[in-house]
Amino acid sequence: MNRDTAKRLIERYFRQLTEGCGNTNCTNEMCASCHEFRPLDNNSAAAKALELFKMNAELCDYHPSISHTIGGNTETDNKMSNKDPCSPTEDFSDVRYLTEDTLCLILKFCEEQGNYNVLARVIGRVFSNAEALMKSFRKDNPNTNPDLGEENHGTSATSSSATTPEENPHKVFDPNEVTVDVNAIRRVYDKLLCIEQVENVLVNAMTYLTPNVELDLEYLDVYESNPDYLNIFIIVMENSNLHSPEYLEVALPQFCKAMSKLPVAALARLARLWSGFGLPHIRRMMETFQQLITFTVVSNEYDSDNLVNDDETVVAATQCLKIVFYASILGGELDREHNEEEEEDSDSDELTLHELLGEERLYKTGPPVDPLENELCIRSVDSRKPLIPFEDFVNDSLNDVVEMDKDFTFFKVNAETKFSFQSCPFILNIVTKNQGLYYDNRIRMYSERRLTALYSMVQGQQPNPYLKLKVRRDHIIDDALVRLEMISMENPSDLKKQLFVEFEGEQGVDEGGVSKEFFQLVLEEIFNPDIGMFTYDDESKLFWFNSSSLENEAQYSLIGIVLGLAIYNNCILDVHFPMVVYRKLLGKKGTYLDLSDSHPVLYQSLKGILQHDGNVKDDMMLTFQISHTDLFGNPVLYDLKEHGEQIPVTEENRQEFVDLFADYILNKSVERQFKAFKKGFLMVTNESPLKHLFRPEEVELLICGSRKLDFEALEKTTDYDGGYNRETQVIKDFWEIIHSFGDEQRRLFLQFTTGTDRAPVGGLGKLKMIIAKNGSDTDSTNCSRPLSQVLLIQHGD
């Protein structure tokens, strides 16, 4: 605990001992409001306050509305606290909490008086006190306010209770239920936020309230003793003006810090509650936290010494944004089922060399499990369509200032003490996340290189710091398969080394270009239709696993290893898989919806069955037995259910038929092939944060690159050599020709120079292209020769 926090707690104990909490029914013997308390002088109270602080003693909530003063009339105070809060008095000083009826009564009184001072005082008193606000706007009373003139929508059709909302001791607590009337709060805010005087009071009350709430949550565990404490955050977040400048300076940052101190169970309750609020309300909350993050980032300067990770406001707002992120997933289209079975690695009792060297934290298998994700039993990959698109949660301002090398260290080593934005990957764009993956891969490469050198010294052998593949062009698949299969069996960790490819009989050092050519040749061979490992769909232009393939599993493991090595070595591959492949790699099974891009014709047929208005049984005459052709064109029958040929498809069971059909096509029929393919992929990536950081569509971008080609960005980042520069006439002519190309010509040019027709993660601006003079021709000679003979274009990482 820091010095300021301790000081504030001791001051609260001192005020409790000298002034009391203001609750005349207080039972805390260490509070001046308790009838059994013996008054202390200031010196004794100060010493006692320090003692209570050390003991972490009970702290009462402060009741400024009914706080008595020394020498005051206690009997009068008792009468005021027990009066009906709806009864009209001149100042409403006896109102201890708010209901919709009470507020409307006060508002009507103020309108008649032409002065809102009374309303402002009551609002300030209740909204600045945790216990008063927690008891406000309950949905316990069936009586509605006839003067509201509005319909109720959503969670409750009743108004809030006007009597003290004491809890029923026999009531069973439902973790998803809240006692606050959200619709009543919204109607109240609609009335209050149009009054300027009340707006200022709300800002001041929130500024006073949140530091005490933060202390209560962090040191007194108030939520565990009273789950209704969550009502405070529900009420405050319904304020639609939280994004305004008045709140952004002080009130909202303090509130986010307090909310981030809520236990995981409370955060999960908030996510479930907000998921049912609908898109406009969830988007408003998302934009509120995003605006605070952006406002804070642009108002400060960050560098390697002053990290954004140390900014408490940005960190707290990001953690609050995570609640909205999961609420958006919960409120959208979900697929919590259809999960692939994960193969658990057998734990060995033997110490690894990493553990002996004290590096186990850097090389532990698998990313950390997010506590909130675990509490909600949900993952981002379970989301088919969130309420808010994933892209809207990315904060560009934050991505510009985060130092990923430092953030990676916090993520892997100091997760308990330092915040890492990789623990909230939804806020990072794919370029930033790819930097984090790059650092992870490079560190593993250096580690394997160091361990190889250590082994070599012990065994007296020549060190081999690279994953070296020597292949023949005419037998590239056989050579690569044999070598990689040997490595995966003898020492799989060698796959974590940096790839180094050598073509037999050819000179050249692999600085990235030879590896790219190797990947390209392997893919051309494997995806050759004559081999029969994959089928090709002419309509979607995508490949799928051939369920009738005669190739052994090692061939499919090879292509999985190739994809893993491409990510690991930051290479782009010219592969064309449907999105379901990447979903399956991240642990999901294929479903009917995945057929839309993998098998579009079949998808339309099954969709027609589901949407058929007539008699399905008589019109279509289908059974739960399906037919497909094998490698030689012969029909093969398969029963989706036992005795499927005897079970007709009807209106009642057609959804089951469609689901089983899709499961067979995407999962069961290719189970052997895909399992081998995934095994090869995981040999390289099983210890990386890939699964934690990236969604399926982002994994596709990592492997295949982007189809968006910005040649303007490529021109800006291109370097020149051999006497060329941006102002050289031949360079100007070159770019003029490139910009005049159509899309197909541009893709062919990119295919020629880089080996793929797609841009890397981050766009073409991330390419390192060098244009150099090919020879020592004079400018006059150059002008008469084709550009291809004048320019030497090099590409590397």
Side-chain angles (χ1 to χ4, degrees), residues 452-709:
T452 299
L454 185 60
Y455 279 128
S456 301
M457 289 174 59
V458 173
Q459 299 175 1
Q461 299 177 354
Q462 185 71 22
N464 182 17
Y466 298 100
L467 170 59
K468 198 167 185 178
L469 296 180
K470 189 173 183 179
V471 295
R472 296 167 294 176
R473 286 186 179 271
D474 295 339
H475 302 82
I476 191 168
I477 292 294
D478 294 335
D479 292 349
L481 179 61
V482 170
R483 178 65 179 144
L484 290 174
E485 190 171 14
M486 289 177 58
I487 292 173
S488 63
M489 293 176 61
E490 296 176 0
N491 191 11
S493 62
D494 279 356
L495 295 173
K496 306 293 194 303
K497 296 178 180 178
Q498 185 174 353
L499 180 63
F500 188 94
V501 177
E502 179 183 350
F503 287 104
E504 189 173 286
E506 299 182 17
Q507 295 182 349
V509 178
D510 187 3
E511 294 183 351
V514 180
S515 296
K516 285 183 171 61
E517 186 179 6
F518 164 76
F519 283 130
Q520 184 178 356
L521 293 175
V522 168
L523 292 174
E524 287 178 358
E525 188 77 16
I526 286 180
F527 285 100
N528 188 334
D530 294 336
I531 294 182
M533 289 182 65
F534 295 91
T535 59
Y536 182 73
D537 188 282
D538 292 324
E539 182 176 344
S540 65
K541 302 188 184 303
L542 298 174
F543 288 92
W544 182 247
F545 298 86
N546 187 351
S547 59
S548 304
S549 173
L550 300 179
E551 299 293 335
N552 58 37
E553 296 176 9
Q555 297 275 25
Y556 287 98
S557 293
L558 172 62
I559 187 63
I561 291 175
V562 167
L563 259 67
L565 288 175
I567 293 178
Y568 198 64
N569 290 271
N570 203 28
C571 291
I572 298 175
L573 300 182
D574 188 25
V575 298
H576 305 277
F577 281 133
M579 188 57 62
V580 65
V581 170
Y582 304 103
R583 285 178 56 82
K584 286 169 70 68
L585 284 176
L586 294 185
K588 301 297 293 185
K589 288 184 178 181
T591 66
Y592 158 69
L593 295 175
D594 293 309
L595 292 172
S596 60
D597 65 331
S598 65
H599 299 75
V601 175
L602 175 61
Y603 173 77
Q604 291 299 330
S605 299
L606 296 177
K607 186 177 179 181
I609 296 175
L610 294 177
Q611 297 178 345
H612 186 66
D613 294 332
N615 189 307
V616 175
K617 179 180 178 181
D618 296 337
D619 295 347
M620 298 189 173
M621 302 179 66
L622 297 171
T623 67
F624 275 75
Q625 185 181 74
I626 61 174
S627 172
H628 63 93
T629 57
D630 62 13
L631 187 63
F632 305 101
N634 300 319
V636 177
L637 299 178
Y638 177 80
D639 285 345
L640 298 176
K641 297 175 67 173
E642 189 176 356
H643 306 300
E645 76 282 0
Q646 301 174 11
I647 306 175
V649 177
T650 64
E651 288 86 347
E652 290 75 20
N653 64 16
R654 57 182 170 182
Q655 184 64 60
E656 181 187 12
F657 171 78
V658 168
D659 291 339
L660 290 174
F661 203 139
D663 181 54
Y664 173 74
I665 295 296
L666 297 177
N667 303 311
K668 292 181 178 178
S669 66
V670 295
E671 183 176 5
R672 176 181 64 87
Q673 294 87 342
F674 187 83
K675 190 173 182 179
F677 168 76
K678 185 176 181 179
K679 178 183 177 182
F681 182 79
L682 293 180
M683 282 183 185
V684 187
T685 64
N686 63 332
E687 295 178 359
S688 83
L690 178 77
K691 193 172 182 179
H692 169 75
L693 293 177
F694 298 92
R695 301 188 305 275
E697 59 271 21
E698 293 176 324
V699 175
E700 183 191 31
L701 279 176
L702 286 179
I703 297 175
C704 308
S706 172
R707 288 193 171 276
K708 295 180 181 179
L709 304 181

Side-chain angles (χ1 to χ4, degrees), residues 102-114:
T102 306
L103 189 133
C104 289
L105 186 65
I106 299 173
L107 185 60
K108 183 177 181 181
F109 172 81
C110 292
E111 290 173 348
E112 292 174 351
Q113 298 294 321

Side-chain angles (χ1 to χ4, degrees), residues 153-420:
H153 303 281
T155 57
S156 174
T158 65
S159 211
S160 301
S161 172
T163 59
T164 304
E166 299 296 335
E167 293 298 318
N168 181 354
H170 303 293
K171 182 179 179 180
V172 178
F173 173 66
D174 182 353
N176 296 326
E177 183 183 354
V178 293
T179 57
V180 67
D181 188 343
V182 176
N183 286 316
I185 298 169
R186 291 173 182 170
R187 292 191 295 268
V188 164
Y189 273 122
D190 287 341
K191 297 176 184 296
L192 293 180
L193 294 181
C194 60
I195 305 172
E196 183 177 353
Q197 185 177 353
V198 173
E199 176 80 22
N200 295 331
V201 170
L202 285 172
V203 175
N204 294 332
M206 185 172 167
T207 304
Y208 178 85
L209 168 74
T210 48
N212 294 331
V213 171
E214 182 181 353
L215 290 173
D216 289 344
L217 287 169
E218 189 166 8
Y219 300 108
L220 301 180
D221 298 328
V222 292
Y223 177 80
E224 282 74 10
S225 60
N226 188 357
D228 281 344
Y229 205 81
L230 194 67
N231 290 0
I232 297 171
F233 298 92
I234 298 172
I235 293 171
V236 172
M237 282 305 300
E238 285 303 315
N239 185 341
S240 58
N241 281 358
L242 289 179
H243 64 279
S244 62
E246 292 82 2
Y247 291 92
L248 289 177
E249 292 284 352
V250 179
L252 188 57
Q254 289 185 348
F255 178 76
C256 289
K257 291 175 190 176
M259 184 183 289
S260 66
K261 297 296 191 299
L262 282 167
V264 176
L267 299 177
R269 284 182 68 199
L270 271 181
R272 294 189 187 101
L273 176 70
W274 289 348
S275 68
F277 280 5
L279 178 59
H281 294 286
I282 296 181
R283 178 170 287 280
R284 173 183 58 78
M285 288 186 277
M286 183 271 292
E287 291 174 349
T288 296
F289 294 128
Q290 286 280 39
Q291 192 159 346
L292 176 59
I293 294 171
T294 302
F295 173 79
T296 306
V297 168
V298 300
S299 302
N300 295 277
E301 294 184 3
Y302 303 98
D303 52 36
S304 56
D305 296 322
N306 180 30
L307 297 173
V308 68
N309 302 68
D310 296 326
D311 192 313
E312 292 184 350
T313 298
V314 176
V315 170
T318 302
Q319 292 172 326
C320 294
L321 185 63
K322 182 193 289 188
I323 310 172
V324 185
F325 174 75
Y326 283 114
S328 173
I329 291 178
L330 288 170
E333 298 176 12
L334 270 178
D335 177 17
R336 289 187 173 181
E337 303 175 356
H338 308 107
N339 297 315
E340 295 274 8
E341 294 182 4
E342 299 291 340
E343 295 185 5
E344 298 183 0
D345 296 331
S346 57
D347 296 330
S348 174
D349 294 332
E350 298 182 4
L351 289 175
T352 65
L353 190 55
H354 288 307
E355 291 172 331
L356 289 172
L357 295 175
E359 298 175 342
E360 69 277 6
R361 288 180 298 176
L362 272 175
Y363 304 100
K364 58 187 177 183
T365 59
V369 178
D370 184 86
L372 182 55
E373 182 179 281
N374 194 47
E375 181 74 18
L376 291 169
C377 300
I378 194 175
R379 301 170 298 167
S380 59
V381 73
D382 295 333
S383 176
R384 281 288 182 178
K385 184 179 180 182
L387 282 178
I388 301 174
F390 289 117
E391 295 77 16
D392 291 0
F393 284 93
V394 175
N395 189 291
D396 293 328
S397 299
L398 175 65
N399 281 266
D400 291 338
V401 299
V402 64
E403 301 275 349
M404 283 307 293
D405 54 342
K406 303 286 196 312
D407 192 89
F408 170 77
T409 304
F410 301 155
F411 180 65
K412 298 294 288 189
V413 181
N414 300 329
E416 294 81 9
T417 57
K418 298 287 286 186
F419 177 81
S420 167

